[in-house]
Amino acid sequence: MLPPVQRVQGLPVLRTPDVLVDLAHRLSDHQLLDVLQEALRLRRCSEPELRAATGRGRAGSATIGRALDVVGDGADSRYERILVRRCAAARLPAPTRPLLYAPLSGHFWRPDLFWDGVVVEVDGFSAHCTGAAFLADRRRQNELVTELGLIVLRYTPIDIRDRPDQVVAQIAAVLRRRAA
């Protein structure tokens, strides 16, 4: 059975979830995770829409299901996943992603990675390139530091790609100081 199509300017177009399910068994695991994360981040589809597009016997369904278990709501970027693996290899404790509340501003924040008292943000250009994103990042960091007393470390995908050992060493040093 063919997946349903929608019409865009009179042309039949597959829905994004159906395209992703069809691609799932053709991409490497890393490629699929990247594509899913980006589609979810850009709100081209939702996790429930993707799960609804899968079906018994449909090629790619099981692969999409496993990938969604890793990607979740789309918040974890490829470089966040790489950094988590690097930290695990360095025997650092596993980070969490709690919902933090800044009481003075009334804002809730979910950090990219969190260890007790330490927030690590992975700032890719596409998600942080607008003036509004730049402003929100600074306000968020100030609230996390001034209201919650947290240490905030910021890295780019280039940092994680080109100098991962230094990034992990910096995180480890801060965690050691916090524990002392």
Side-chain angles (χ1 to χ4, degrees):
M1 180 170 115
L2 293 174
V5 297
Q6 56 190 11
R7 296 237 172 235
V8 176
Q9 297 179 348
L11 298 173
V13 178
L14 287 174
R15 296 175 323 108
T16 301
D18 294 310
V19 171
L20 294 172
V21 172
D22 290 343
L23 281 174
H25 67 284
R26 293 181 174 91
L27 300 175
S28 72
D29 289 345
H30 290 297
Q31 289 172 325
L32 179 60
L33 290 172
D34 289 347
V35 169
L36 283 179
Q37 188 272 331
E38 194 67 3
L40 292 165
R41 187 184 69 76
L42 293 173
R43 303 204 190 303
R44 299 289 188 247
C45 61
S46 67
E47 182 179 353
E49 289 172 327
L50 278 164
R51 291 200 188 273
T54 63
R56 190 188 257 334
R58 182 170 181 194
S61 291
T63 306
I64 283 284
R66 286 190 303 273
L68 284 172
D69 291 341
V70 173
V71 173
D73 62 4
D76 297 332
S77 72
R78 174 182 184 204
Y79 286 96
E80 288 171 40
R81 292 189 303 270
I82 290 170
L83 183 55
V84 167
R85 284 195 305 271
R86 290 288 201 150
C87 289
R91 300 187 191 278
L92 295 181
T96 60
R97 296 199 50 214
L99 189 60
L100 303 174
Y101 176 66
L104 296 176
S105 63
H107 291 138
F108 288 91
W109 302 109
R110 187 172 310 276
D112 291 340
L113 305 173
F114 181 79
W115 288 268
D116 188 33
V118 180
V119 169
V120 173
E121 292 292 314
V122 178
D123 296 337
F125 182 74
S126 66
H128 300 269
C129 67
T130 66
F134 182 84
L135 178 63
D137 287 345
R138 278 24 181 211
R139 287 180 178 167
R140 173 184 177 172
Q141 180 165 332
N142 289 343
E143 289 175 11
L144 293 173
V145 171
T146 61
E147 294 186 41
L148 301 177
L150 302 175
I151 294 171
V152 179
L153 301 173
R154 301 189 93 85
Y155 298 102
T156 67
I158 294 169
D159 292 326
I160 295 165
R161 182 193 70 204
D162 292 351
R163 51 184 207 95
D165 294 337
Q166 284 180 288
V167 169
V168 171
Q170 288 175 347
I171 294 169
V174 169
L175 293 176
R176 278 193 305 274
R177 277 197 301 273
R178 288 290 289 198

